[in-house]
Amino acid sequence: MIGSGYFDGFGGRYVPEVLISALQKLDEEYRRLSPDPEFKQRLNTLLTTYVGRPTPLYFAHRLTDRVGGAKIFLKREDLAHTGSHKINNAVGQALLAKEMGRRRIIAETGAGQHGVAAATASALMGIECEIYMGEVDAERQKLNCYRMNLLGAKLNIVKSGSRTLKDSINEAMRDYASSSEYTHYLIGSVVGPHPYPTIVRDFQSVIGREAKSQMQQITGGLPSALVACVGGGSNSIGLFHPFLEDAEVKIFGVEAGGEGVTTGKHSASVVAGSNGVLHGAKTLLIQDFEGQVLETHSVAAGLDYPAVGPEHAFLNKTGRAKYVAIDDSGALSAFHLLSETEGIIPALESAHAIAFAVELASDMSSDESIIVNLSGRGDKDVDQVARLEGSI
Ligand SMILES: *Cc1c(COP(=O)(O)O)cnc(C)c1O
């Protein structure tokens, strides 16, 4: 596997011929613009004045006391504009689209969260936005559909195939193949064909860069461990990447175990997946013996994706990062625990990371520390959890 865009054999560009030149152009433009001081300055200004960065690194002292063991710090991406880390990438790519002279942004969305982030960033830039969403997904997420409309985006409801995320991805790719001269395809995680896994990682690495210098200010050193949830893998790689060379820092990615990894109803693509190609990249995914992608499950909609970004497949292979699964019930307990101990309602996705961090901390000593990425706030999930528990 020679060539750029590979993480030791994972990644690449497994797309129809018609998309290759568009992706090459994007790669060139990104490599030209990203080191440019003016581009960096514009992005920084937006991150500060619009997104609300830097987000705090908070010492969760009551959670730490309750668990006993390592000190738990939370990187507060839940406090970013729109309530999660997704905005870091959306604003970065929308600025890129603007600088590239694109007048249209397209995106696909499953649960709607990335669609909302893309619509937000497009509104910010004054760029026309169209979102592809499966009919089944749109039916489940009516409020997010309204949000996208409110933000001025046009929603294209996809009625082909299983009418869910993978069909919207196909439609978005088809659109991009014929419109890339004037359209930017805004992918929401570190997935898809090269250069997306690299672009999204770079825009999300602001999380880890900030966390590293904040930790040095608070404790004078590095954390003993990092913990983040893994759907496609963007909030986690964003935290991990600036620490990859610091061998003493242990790194843990937490996948959605759903109803249990042995039940088949989960989204643990690294823990329980195998090598294959999805969304234009060679990576780890959940598939049957014939390579058909299987249906996934998680209580957290943002983790319900059948594959993982290629760089995670690589970090797993080299052992630099370890991947574990937390099931729905563990995440729900952590959702309550963090709410009660700290007055912070976490997104169900982030609750997976909290649940594992709690297990990890209790086996560590009090002079060690863990940074957990609190990828999003839980307001969006309160209704769902209350219904699940029969409280409303
Ligand atoms: C979308 C989402 C995730 C999962 O996506 P990654 O690309 O793996 O980060 C995690 N947490 C929240 C709050 C999300 O909205």
Side-chain angles (χ1 to χ4, degrees):
M1 286 304 157
I2 308 163
S4 62
Y6 280 100
F7 303 94
D8 193 21
F10 294 108
R13 223 176 236 162
Y14 295 82
V15 294
E17 189 75 39
V18 285
L19 278 171
I20 297 289
S21 69
L23 294 168
Q24 273 167 348
K25 178 89 181 145
L26 174 62
D27 189 24
E28 270 165 35
E29 292 272 31
Y30 176 66
R31 278 189 287 152
R32 179 177 68 80
L33 285 163
S34 59
D36 175 39
E38 262 181 55
F39 180 83
K40 283 185 174 171
Q41 179 62 43
R42 279 191 198 119
L43 179 58
N44 251 329
T45 303
L46 289 172
L47 290 178
T48 316
T49 60
Y50 185 78
V51 174
R53 306 207 70 88
T55 59
L57 183 69
Y58 168 68
F59 173 42
H61 60 285
R62 293 199 62 236
L63 179 65
T64 298
D65 283 350
R66 176 76 72 93
V67 173
K71 295 185 188 68
I72 301 173
F73 290 84
L74 305 177
K75 181 59 173 161
R76 299 290 308 275
E77 293 303 296
D78 60 318
L79 294 178
H81 178 49
T82 69
S84 88
H85 69 289
K86 283 196 171 68
I87 194 73
N88 303 324
N89 168 56
V91 164
Q93 281 194 53
L95 182 66
L96 191 61
K98 183 106 184 166
E99 302 279 322
M100 285 168 61
R102 301 292 182 264
R103 59 173 167 78
R104 183 169 172 265
I105 282 177
I106 58 168
E108 89 286 327
T109 194
Q113 290 155 238
H114 172 57
V116 170
T120 302
S122 302
L124 169 70
M125 294 295 160
I127 298 181
E128 178 193 329
C129 178
E130 286 185 42
I131 309 284
Y132 287 93
M133 190 172 191
E135 192 173 33
V136 171
D137 291 334
E139 198 52 44
R140 284 190 208 135
Q141 302 285 342
K142 288 199 177 116
L143 211 52
N144 276 339
C145 295
Y146 178 69
R147 277 194 189 98
M148 289 181 253
N149 283 323
L150 191 62
L151 292 159
K154 180 175 171 235
L155 207 53
N156 296 322
I157 302 295
V158 177
K159 295 180 178 165
S160 55
S162 58
R163 295 171 292 142
T164 57
L165 182 63
K166 65 181 191 319
D167 312 289
S168 334
I169 293 173
N170 292 340
E171 287 302 320
M173 286 211 182
R174 201 164 298 152
D175 181 323
Y176 188 52
S178 63
S179 67
S180 66
E181 296 278 298
Y182 57 91
T183 298
H184 176 67
Y185 179 17
L186 206 166
I187 290 185
S189 190
V190 284
V191 300
H194 179 66
Y196 284 101
T198 303
I199 292 179
V200 179
R201 176 198 70 203
D202 291 353
F203 285 140
Q204 292 293 3
S205 293
V206 66
I207 301 172
R209 284 196 305 272
E210 284 175 10
K212 195 170 190 176
S213 85
Q214 289 167 322
M215 197 68 183
Q216 263 150 357
Q217 263 170 20
I218 301 170
T219 68
L222 292 169
S224 320
L226 306 173
V227 177
C229 66
V230 180
S234 70
N235 86 86
S236 48
I237 213 92
L239 175 65
F240 300 167
H241 203 261
F243 292 92
L244 288 180
E245 311 278 292
D246 302 304
E248 68 271 39
V249 181
K250 296 190 183 75
I251 298 181
F252 298 93
V254 186
E255 299 195 298
E259 293 178 14
V261 172
T262 53
T263 65
K265 292 185 173 172
H266 61 82
S267 313
S269 344
V270 180
V271 170
S274 53
N275 289 359
V277 171
L278 188 73
H279 209 160
K282 201 176 259 188
T283 189
L284 287 167
L285 58 125
I286 301 168
Q287 57 189 337
D288 66 14
F289 290 112
E290 292 178 333
Q292 291 300 307
V293 177
L294 294 172
E295 206 175 311
T296 52
H297 165 82
S298 170
V299 71
L303 300 184
D304 207 347
Y305 176 72
V308 70
E311 197 167 1
H312 285 288
F314 165 69
L315 293 175
N316 175 63
K317 190 172 157 190
T318 62
R320 178 64 189 95
K322 297 262 176 292
Y323 294 82
V324 297
I326 287 286
D327 60 18
D328 289 351
S329 63
L332 286 165
S333 305
F335 182 79
H336 282 279
L337 179 65
L338 191 69
S339 301
E340 286 165 22
T341 53
E342 297 289 349
I344 298 170
I345 303 173
L348 281 174
E349 292 83 2
S350 325
H352 286 74
I354 300 288
F356 179 71
V358 162
E359 284 178 18
L360 185 67
S362 64
D363 290 333
M364 291 166 68
S365 85
S366 60
D367 47 81
E368 295 182 286
S369 57
I370 301 175
I371 297 179
V372 186
N373 205 12
L374 196 67
S375 55
R377 64 175 183 232
D379 305 49
K380 67 180 177 60
D381 301 319
V382 170
D383 186 74
Q384 182 193 345
V385 175
R387 275 172 213 283
L388 268 176
E389 294 173 350
S391 303
I392 56 169

PDB file of all heavy atoms in Angstrom, residues 84-86 113 188-190 229-236 302-303 347 349-350 375-376 380, ligand 1:
ATOM      1  N   SER A  84     -21.768  20.101  21.030  1.00  0.00           N
ATOM      2  CA  SER A  84     -20.846  18.966  20.882  1.00  0.00           C
ATOM      3  C   SER A  84     -19.632  19.382  20.063  1.00  0.00           C
ATOM      4  O   SER A  84     -19.580  20.479  19.501  1.00  0.00           O
ATOM      5  CB  SER A  84     -21.526  17.773  20.220  1.00  0.00           C
ATOM      6  OG  SER A  84     -21.420  17.849  18.810  1.00  0.00           O
ATOM      7  N   HIS A  85     -18.688  18.453  19.971  1.00  0.00           N
ATOM      8  CA  HIS A  85     -17.450  18.680  19.221  1.00  0.00           C
ATOM      9  C   HIS A  85     -17.693  18.788  17.720  1.00  0.00           C
ATOM     10  O   HIS A  85     -16.808  19.226  16.995  1.00  0.00           O
ATOM     11  CB  HIS A  85     -16.494  17.520  19.478  1.00  0.00           C
ATOM     12  CG  HIS A  85     -16.981  16.238  18.859  1.00  0.00           C
ATOM     13  ND1 HIS A  85     -18.068  15.551  19.353  1.00  0.00           N
ATOM     14  CD2 HIS A  85     -16.588  15.554  17.752  1.00  0.00           C
ATOM     15  CE1 HIS A  85     -18.294  14.495  18.588  1.00  0.00           C
ATOM     16  NE2 HIS A  85     -17.414  14.469  17.616  1.00  0.00           N
ATOM     17  N   LYS A  86     -18.844  18.336  17.226  1.00  0.00           N
ATOM     18  CA  LYS A  86     -19.047  18.280  15.771  1.00  0.00           C
ATOM     19  C   LYS A  86     -18.839  19.637  15.098  1.00  0.00           C
ATOM     20  O   LYS A  86     -18.428  19.710  13.952  1.00  0.00           O
ATOM     21  CB  LYS A  86     -20.448  17.755  15.447  1.00  0.00           C
ATOM     22  CG  LYS A  86     -20.566  16.246  15.625  1.00  0.00           C
ATOM     23  CD  LYS A  86     -21.810  15.715  14.939  1.00  0.00           C
ATOM     24  CE  LYS A  86     -21.823  14.197  14.926  1.00  0.00           C
ATOM     25  NZ  LYS A  86     -21.984  13.605  16.269  1.00  0.00           N
ATOM     26  N   GLN A 113     -27.563  14.810  13.867  1.00  0.00           N
ATOM     27  CA  GLN A 113     -26.652  15.712  14.587  1.00  0.00           C
ATOM     28  C   GLN A 113     -25.617  16.346  13.653  1.00  0.00           C
ATOM     29  O   GLN A 113     -25.352  17.533  13.745  1.00  0.00           O
ATOM     30  CB  GLN A 113     -25.955  14.961  15.728  1.00  0.00           C
ATOM     31  CG  GLN A 113     -26.911  14.617  16.853  1.00  0.00           C
ATOM     32  CD  GLN A 113     -26.440  13.413  17.660  1.00  0.00           C
ATOM     33  OE1 GLN A 113     -27.129  12.418  17.778  1.00  0.00           O
ATOM     34  NE2 GLN A 113     -25.248  13.515  18.212  1.00  0.00           N
ATOM     35  N   GLY A 188     -18.713  14.224   8.264  1.00  0.00           N
ATOM     36  CA  GLY A 188     -18.805  14.581   9.671  1.00  0.00           C
ATOM     37  C   GLY A 188     -17.905  13.849  10.642  1.00  0.00           C
ATOM     38  O   GLY A 188     -17.859  14.185  11.819  1.00  0.00           O
ATOM     39  N   SER A 189     -17.177  12.829  10.183  1.00  0.00           N
ATOM     40  CA  SER A 189     -16.287  12.140  11.114  1.00  0.00           C
ATOM     41  C   SER A 189     -15.019  11.747  10.362  1.00  0.00           C
ATOM     42  O   SER A 189     -14.883  12.051   9.177  1.00  0.00           O
ATOM     43  CB  SER A 189     -16.990  10.926  11.722  1.00  0.00           C
ATOM     44  OG  SER A 189     -16.214  10.407  12.782  1.00  0.00           O
ATOM     45  N   VAL A 190     -14.110  11.068  11.058  1.00  0.00           N
ATOM     46  CA  VAL A 190     -12.820  10.727  10.438  1.00  0.00           C
ATOM     47  C   VAL A 190     -12.959   9.488   9.559  1.00  0.00           C
ATOM     48  O   VAL A 190     -12.156   8.560   9.636  1.00  0.00           O
ATOM     49  CB  VAL A 190     -11.712  10.518  11.498  1.00  0.00           C
ATOM     50  CG1 VAL A 190     -11.251  11.849  12.042  1.00  0.00           C
ATOM     51  CG2 VAL A 190     -12.190   9.606  12.644  1.00  0.00           C
ATOM     52  N   CYS A 229     -15.227   8.306  23.611  1.00  0.00           N
ATOM     53  CA  CYS A 229     -16.112   7.380  22.906  1.00  0.00           C
ATOM     54  C   CYS A 229     -15.794   7.399  21.413  1.00  0.00           C
ATOM     55  O   CYS A 229     -15.289   8.382  20.887  1.00  0.00           O
ATOM     56  CB  CYS A 229     -17.575   7.729  23.160  1.00  0.00           C
ATOM     57  SG  CYS A 229     -18.092   9.314  22.478  1.00  0.00           S
ATOM     58  N   VAL A 230     -16.100   6.281  20.748  1.00  0.00           N
ATOM     59  CA  VAL A 230     -15.779   6.127  19.326  1.00  0.00           C
ATOM     60  C   VAL A 230     -17.019   5.713  18.544  1.00  0.00           C
ATOM     61  O   VAL A 230     -17.550   4.617  18.744  1.00  0.00           O
ATOM     62  CB  VAL A 230     -14.679   5.052  19.127  1.00  0.00           C
ATOM     63  CG1 VAL A 230     -14.354   4.894  17.643  1.00  0.00           C
ATOM     64  CG2 VAL A 230     -13.423   5.404  19.903  1.00  0.00           C
ATOM     65  N   GLY A 231     -17.478   6.639  17.682  1.00  0.00           N
ATOM     66  CA  GLY A 231     -18.527   6.289  16.725  1.00  0.00           C
ATOM     67  C   GLY A 231     -17.801   6.116  15.405  1.00  0.00           C
ATOM     68  O   GLY A 231     -17.251   5.055  15.116  1.00  0.00           O
ATOM     69  N   GLY A 232     -17.722   7.180  14.614  1.00  0.00           N
ATOM     70  CA  GLY A 232     -16.822   7.187  13.465  1.00  0.00           C
ATOM     71  C   GLY A 232     -15.399   7.421  13.954  1.00  0.00           C
ATOM     72  O   GLY A 232     -14.432   6.988  13.347  1.00  0.00           O
ATOM     73  N   GLY A 233     -15.285   8.144  15.079  1.00  0.00           N
ATOM     74  CA  GLY A 233     -13.973   8.302  15.702  1.00  0.00           C
ATOM     75  C   GLY A 233     -13.387   9.699  15.715  1.00  0.00           C
ATOM     76  O   GLY A 233     -12.192   9.862  15.938  1.00  0.00           O
ATOM     77  N   SER A 234     -14.214  10.747  15.502  1.00  0.00           N
ATOM     78  CA  SER A 234     -13.614  12.079  15.380  1.00  0.00           C
ATOM     79  C   SER A 234     -13.304  12.762  16.704  1.00  0.00           C
ATOM     80  O   SER A 234     -12.249  13.383  16.852  1.00  0.00           O
ATOM     81  CB  SER A 234     -14.473  12.990  14.506  1.00  0.00           C
ATOM     82  OG  SER A 234     -15.683  13.347  15.121  1.00  0.00           O
ATOM     83  N   ASN A 235     -14.203  12.667  17.706  1.00  0.00           N
ATOM     84  CA  ASN A 235     -13.878  13.345  18.971  1.00  0.00           C
ATOM     85  C   ASN A 235     -12.705  12.642  19.637  1.00  0.00           C
ATOM     86  O   ASN A 235     -11.849  13.281  20.252  1.00  0.00           O
ATOM     87  CB  ASN A 235     -15.111  13.470  19.878  1.00  0.00           C
ATOM     88  CG  ASN A 235     -15.382  12.261  20.755  1.00  0.00           C
ATOM     89  OD1 ASN A 235     -14.832  12.153  21.845  1.00  0.00           O
ATOM     90  ND2 ASN A 235     -16.190  11.323  20.273  1.00  0.00           N
ATOM     91  N   SER A 236     -12.646  11.313  19.481  1.00  0.00           N
ATOM     92  CA  SER A 236     -11.569  10.544  20.109  1.00  0.00           C
ATOM     93  C   SER A 236     -10.225  10.839  19.439  1.00  0.00           C
ATOM     94  O   SER A 236      -9.254  11.159  20.121  1.00  0.00           O
ATOM     95  CB  SER A 236     -11.893   9.054  20.056  1.00  0.00           C
ATOM     96  OG  SER A 236     -12.294   8.676  18.755  1.00  0.00           O
ATOM     97  N   GLY A 302     -25.429   8.677  17.986  1.00  0.00           N
ATOM     98  CA  GLY A 302     -24.173   9.124  17.380  1.00  0.00           C
ATOM     99  C   GLY A 302     -23.109   8.040  17.317  1.00  0.00           C
ATOM    100  O   GLY A 302     -22.083   8.213  16.669  1.00  0.00           O
ATOM    101  N   LEU A 303     -23.318   6.924  18.015  1.00  0.00           N
ATOM    102  CA  LEU A 303     -22.335   5.825  17.973  1.00  0.00           C
ATOM    103  C   LEU A 303     -22.806   4.700  17.055  1.00  0.00           C
ATOM    104  O   LEU A 303     -22.091   3.726  16.832  1.00  0.00           O
ATOM    105  CB  LEU A 303     -22.094   5.266  19.386  1.00  0.00           C
ATOM    106  CG  LEU A 303     -21.556   6.241  20.434  1.00  0.00           C
ATOM    107  CD1 LEU A 303     -21.270   5.510  21.742  1.00  0.00           C
ATOM    108  CD2 LEU A 303     -20.294   6.952  19.952  1.00  0.00           C
ATOM    109  N   ALA A 347     -24.066  13.723  26.994  1.00  0.00           N
ATOM    110  CA  ALA A 347     -24.678  13.037  25.845  1.00  0.00           C
ATOM    111  C   ALA A 347     -24.552  11.531  26.094  1.00  0.00           C
ATOM    112  O   ALA A 347     -23.588  11.090  26.729  1.00  0.00           O
ATOM    113  CB  ALA A 347     -23.947  13.412  24.567  1.00  0.00           C
ATOM    114  N   GLU A 349     -23.645   9.358  24.092  1.00  0.00           N
ATOM    115  CA  GLU A 349     -22.376   8.926  23.484  1.00  0.00           C
ATOM    116  C   GLU A 349     -21.254   9.080  24.512  1.00  0.00           C
ATOM    117  O   GLU A 349     -20.529   8.142  24.823  1.00  0.00           O
ATOM    118  CB  GLU A 349     -22.052   9.781  22.240  1.00  0.00           C
ATOM    119  CG  GLU A 349     -22.980   9.578  21.045  1.00  0.00           C
ATOM    120  CD  GLU A 349     -24.280  10.399  21.143  1.00  0.00           C
ATOM    121  OE1 GLU A 349     -24.434  11.154  22.119  1.00  0.00           O
ATOM    122  OE2 GLU A 349     -25.125  10.268  20.226  1.00  0.00           O
ATOM    123  N   SER A 350     -21.155  10.300  25.068  1.00  0.00           N
ATOM    124  CA  SER A 350     -20.087  10.589  26.036  1.00  0.00           C
ATOM    125  C   SER A 350     -20.226   9.747  27.300  1.00  0.00           C
ATOM    126  O   SER A 350     -19.222   9.454  27.969  1.00  0.00           O
ATOM    127  CB  SER A 350     -20.117  12.071  26.423  1.00  0.00           C
ATOM    128  OG  SER A 350     -20.496  12.897  25.350  1.00  0.00           O
ATOM    129  N   SER A 375     -17.832  14.605  24.942  1.00  0.00           N
ATOM    130  CA  SER A 375     -18.035  15.039  23.547  1.00  0.00           C
ATOM    131  C   SER A 375     -19.286  15.881  23.335  1.00  0.00           C
ATOM    132  O   SER A 375     -19.343  16.686  22.411  1.00  0.00           O
ATOM    133  CB  SER A 375     -18.055  13.821  22.621  1.00  0.00           C
ATOM    134  OG  SER A 375     -19.027  12.878  23.031  1.00  0.00           O
ATOM    135  N   GLY A 376     -20.300  15.699  24.198  1.00  0.00           N
ATOM    136  CA  GLY A 376     -21.511  16.496  23.994  1.00  0.00           C
ATOM    137  C   GLY A 376     -22.408  16.538  25.211  1.00  0.00           C
ATOM    138  O   GLY A 376     -22.252  15.758  26.150  1.00  0.00           O
ATOM    139  N   LYS A 380     -30.248  16.643  24.437  1.00  0.00           N
ATOM    140  CA  LYS A 380     -30.902  15.968  23.311  1.00  0.00           C
ATOM    141  C   LYS A 380     -31.397  14.583  23.690  1.00  0.00           C
ATOM    142  O   LYS A 380     -32.239  14.011  22.987  1.00  0.00           O
ATOM    143  CB  LYS A 380     -29.931  15.877  22.122  1.00  0.00           C
ATOM    144  CG  LYS A 380     -28.741  14.962  22.391  1.00  0.00           C
ATOM    145  CD  LYS A 380     -27.778  14.857  21.217  1.00  0.00           C
ATOM    146  CE  LYS A 380     -26.567  13.993  21.539  1.00  0.00           C
ATOM    147  NZ  LYS A 380     -26.840  12.604  21.909  1.00  0.00           N
TER     148      LYS A 380
HETATM  149  C1  LIG B   1     -21.621  12.343  16.723  1.00  0.00           C
HETATM  150  C2  LIG B   1     -21.222  12.239  18.133  1.00  0.00           C
HETATM  151  C3  LIG B   1     -20.282  11.284  18.578  1.00  0.00           C
HETATM  152  C4  LIG B   1     -19.681  10.245  17.689  1.00  0.00           C
HETATM  153  O1  LIG B   1     -18.923  10.699  16.617  1.00  0.00           O
HETATM  154  P1  LIG B   1     -17.334  10.626  16.590  1.00  0.00           P
HETATM  155  O2  LIG B   1     -17.000  10.978  15.187  1.00  0.00           O
HETATM  156  O3  LIG B   1     -16.931   9.230  16.955  1.00  0.00           O
HETATM  157  O4  LIG B   1     -16.827  11.606  17.565  1.00  0.00           O
HETATM  158  C5  LIG B   1     -19.919  11.297  19.913  1.00  0.00           C
HETATM  159  N1  LIG B   1     -20.461  12.170  20.791  1.00  0.00           N
HETATM  160  C6  LIG B   1     -21.376  13.083  20.401  1.00  0.00           C
HETATM  161  C7  LIG B   1     -21.927  14.021  21.415  1.00  0.00           C
HETATM  162  C8  LIG B   1     -21.787  13.145  19.065  1.00  0.00           C
HETATM  163  O5  LIG B   1     -22.701  14.056  18.703  1.00  0.00           O
END
